[in-house]
Amino acid sequence: MRLWTAADMERLVERLEKAVERLENVCQGPGMCGDSSAKGVAQYVQAFDALLAGPVAEYTKISREVGGDVQKHAEMVHAGLMSERALLVVASQHQQPAENAFSELLKPISEQIQAVQNFREKNRGSKLFNHLSAVSESIPALGWVAMAPKPGPYVKEMTDAAMFYTNRILKEYKDVDKKQVDWVKAYLSIWTELQAYIKEYHTTGLTWSKTGPVATAGAKAAPAPPAGPAPPPPGPPPPPAPVSSSTDDSASRSALFAQINRGEGITSGLRHVSDDMKTHKNPALKNQGGPVRSGPKPFTAPKPACNANPSPKAPPLLELEGKKWRVENQENATNLVISDTELKQVAYVFKCTNSTLQIKGKINSITLDNCKKLGLVFDDVVGIVEIINSRDVKVQVMGKVPTISINKTDGCHVYLSKSSLDCEIVSAKSSEMNVLIPTDGGDFTEFPVPEQFKTVWNGQKLVTTVTEIAG
């Protein structure tokens, strides 16, 4: 092992000094890392820039290495984050605006969120669909700026929505492609760091400046102002509508009381109405034309505007694409059958309504996504059956399946076979789930899946148990 001499140490210190000098020279340019760059930029904007330079930069870097749809998606996510940074700059330089003006300021972020989600919908056949879904499910977290008083928990909720798909990616690539695993870690770290950022700077909502003009819909995220005279402040707001002063009110009340105190003399100024001017004594007056006051009209809900160009329905689809069976946009189809199956194939069933599907043979996995009133019957699945974002679905196992996952689904009946009683059923954010167990007589006994839980602290950890509501 080589020992360091005094001369070695001197040379090392000299090299470090030169490196520091070079860094100082680099940091003196505009927008670089010197103290001058921080002048005029709020601390929480600088902290957000650190998030962009850290987790976000790592995520975009790995996304470029993965390439394809993931890279394009990452560019959209980055655009959304930059729109958010622009809003943070506006908030740091302006006072909080009215609700309608704030909605206009949120539009660029909202449009980017929509673009990210639309990209997923247009690329459902992508080989990296789980990546697109993880991003699409969690990207609404950018809306935390409008989620007072609990923006942090909102980001956490959106992150949890992505976990369903990131877990699938980890399961698929864990021992196959380390880059995919790194992608998951980098992407999730964005939202983890964002939660910490919100907790420090925007705990109960977006922090607005206490000084400066009130933000408007056209407010720009201007950079830090250069040295020199500041721009003149905006003109004063328009004067409020005239209202009667307290002096006028007092004078009116005094005049009213003075008239009342006149006693019987108060009627001296009234005009006498003769019998021929009274409608109950002169019926002819009732037939004369004139305005007739009616009571207030009952409230009626406004009719929604008719969309002149409704989006056309996507055509029904049942085809084998590579190793994926795609069953999409089927309506009132009661005889859908997939029979020519192989062990390596998967089935993806999307947006099918009032239909039944039978899958014969042994298949790798089945996914039901955004289906309603769908009946699924299958023989054997070696991986997992997933039910996502669906409603009123029935699934019957004829052979074996190791795992059934139910996520964001309301109304799901699972009919197990005698050979699939060891199946694991995992559920999250779902309701009205029932598992039906076969009996010796050929019938089924129904058992509800618990939806209500009780969690207590036992002194060392949280303990969660199922609670039953007494009927």
Side-chain angles (χ1 to χ4, degrees), residues 213-419:
V214 176
T216 60
K220 300 290 185 181
V243 294
S244 56
S245 64
S246 56
T247 305
D248 294 338
D249 291 341
S250 299
S252 299
R253 284 195 293 270
S254 298
L256 174 63
F257 286 124
Q259 287 186 341
I260 293 174
N261 290 334
R262 290 170 60 190
E264 293 182 357
I266 195 173
T267 62
S268 60
L270 299 179
R271 183 167 63 90
H272 177 68
V273 180
S274 60
D275 289 345
D276 61 343
M277 299 171 66
K278 300 175 182 178
T279 56
H280 66 284
K281 290 190 176 182
N282 188 0
L285 291 175
K286 295 182 181 180
N287 298 327
Q288 294 179 359
V292 179
R293 291 180 61 89
S294 61
K297 295 182 179 180
F299 172 79
T300 56
K303 294 182 179 180
C306 181
N307 189 356
N309 296 312
S311 56
K313 286 186 177 181
L317 182 68
L318 196 163
E319 68 177 15
L320 178 62
E321 186 179 84
K323 296 179 181 178
K324 177 190 287 187
W325 283 99
R326 295 177 58 190
V327 185
E328 301 179 6
N329 307 308
Q330 300 284 349
E331 291 188 11
N332 303 314
T334 58
N335 56 350
L336 300 172
V337 179
I338 298 176
S339 56
D340 188 14
T341 58
E342 296 178 4
L343 186 59
K344 293 182 180 181
Q345 293 175 349
V346 300
Y348 180 72
V349 186
F350 172 69
K351 218 168 187 178
C352 294
T353 306
N354 290 323
S355 301
T356 59
L357 170 65
Q358 182 179 6
I359 301 178
K360 298 180 179 181
K362 187 175 290 187
I363 197 170
N364 187 278
S365 66
I366 302 173
T367 300
L368 306 186
D369 186 1
N370 209 1
C371 294
K372 184 178 179 181
K373 295 184 178 179
L374 175 74
L376 169 67
V377 182
F378 64 91
D379 291 344
D380 294 285
V381 168
V382 297
I384 186 172
V385 173
E386 297 170 310
I387 304 156
I388 316 164
N389 296 322
S390 295
R391 184 176 175 185
D392 297 332
V393 297
K394 295 182 179 180
V395 177
Q396 184 169 4
V397 188
M398 304 303 293
K400 289 182 67 69
V401 59
T403 307
I404 296 177
S405 172
I406 307 171
N407 192 42
K408 294 183 181 179
T409 294
D410 296 323
C412 180
H413 288 69
V414 177
Y415 294 78
L416 297 178
S417 64
K418 289 185 178 181
S419 57

Side-chain angles (χ1 to χ4, degrees), residues 179-236:
K179 188 182 297 180
Q180 307 290 348
V181 176
D182 291 341
W183 183 90
V184 170
K185 293 178 181 178
Y187 181 70
L188 293 180
S189 70
I190 294 175
W191 306 122
T192 304
E193 292 297 323
L194 182 61
Q195 290 174 58
Y197 166 81
I198 292 170
K199 186 176 182 180
E200 183 171 357
Y201 297 102
H202 310 274
T203 310
T204 58
L206 179 60
T207 302
W208 293 85
S209 174
K210 300 297 182 184
T211 59
V214 176
T216 60
K220 300 290 185 181

